[in-house]
Amino acid sequence: MEEKRFRKNDNSFVCQNCKKTVEPLGYSSRNHCPFCLCSVHIDINPGDRACECQGLMIPKRVETDAKKGFIIIHECTKCGEIKRNRAAHEAKVQPDDIKLLIKLTAGDN
Ligand SMILES: [Zn+2]
Ligand SMILES: [Zn+2]
């Protein structure tokens, strides 16, 4: 028996912010909406769904990493926690909005 170390929790969900239906990613846990990049504060560790906050997490900005690509910095609107999430702009199904990612990379100026 092989034990899975990475907990996969890849279900479709309705975005709390834009109300669009988000399909499963297929290869990893999708943790944010590809249309508005918002997330929900439900994980303590990726995919564990162990957090009781349930607050809406909005993308504050996006960083670029040479290895990981785009990293979305999410801030919880309820408790203020900051989380870093890898963008899924290369997903086959509903990839993250690349224009929005680039816009957030540039900042507010
Ligand atoms: Zn959304
Ligand atoms: Zn929170």
Side-chain angles (χ1 to χ4, degrees):
M1 283 282 284
E2 209 178 311
E3 213 181 314
K4 272 186 188 166
R5 267 176 230 160
F6 182 78
R7 224 180 292 191
K8 196 163 165 253
N9 200 331
D10 197 21
N11 302 313
S12 64
F13 61 92
V14 175
C15 176
Q16 282 196 17
N17 184 53
C18 69
K19 312 296 181 202
K20 284 181 178 151
T21 303
V22 181
E23 301 296 334
L25 195 53
Y27 61 86
S28 180
S29 300
R30 198 194 288 273
N31 59 17
H32 57 268
C33 172
F35 306 106
C36 67
L37 306 180
C38 284
S39 185
V40 177
H41 197 186
I42 46 173
D43 292 345
I44 293 171
N45 293 302
D48 65 9
R49 305 299 192 255
C51 185
E52 288 175 2
C53 175
Q54 309 282 309
L56 179 70
M57 299 195 81
I58 54 162
K60 291 290 283 180
R61 62 197 159 86
V62 172
E63 289 176 0
T64 48
D65 183 285
K67 280 184 191 152
K68 291 176 180 170
F70 291 105
I71 308 289
I72 304 167
I73 316 295
H74 280 116
E75 187 183 77
C76 180
T77 54
K78 203 165 154 190
C79 73
E81 184 160 316
I82 302 283
K83 276 188 174 286
R84 299 165 65 86
N85 289 298
R86 199 170 161 174
H89 61 288
E90 285 165 331
K92 287 193 177 73
V93 181
Q94 297 181 333
D96 288 359
D97 188 335
I98 191 82
K99 282 182 191 152
L100 201 52
L101 286 170
I102 291 165
K103 198 178 157 217
L104 284 159
T105 309
D108 294 327
N109 45 43

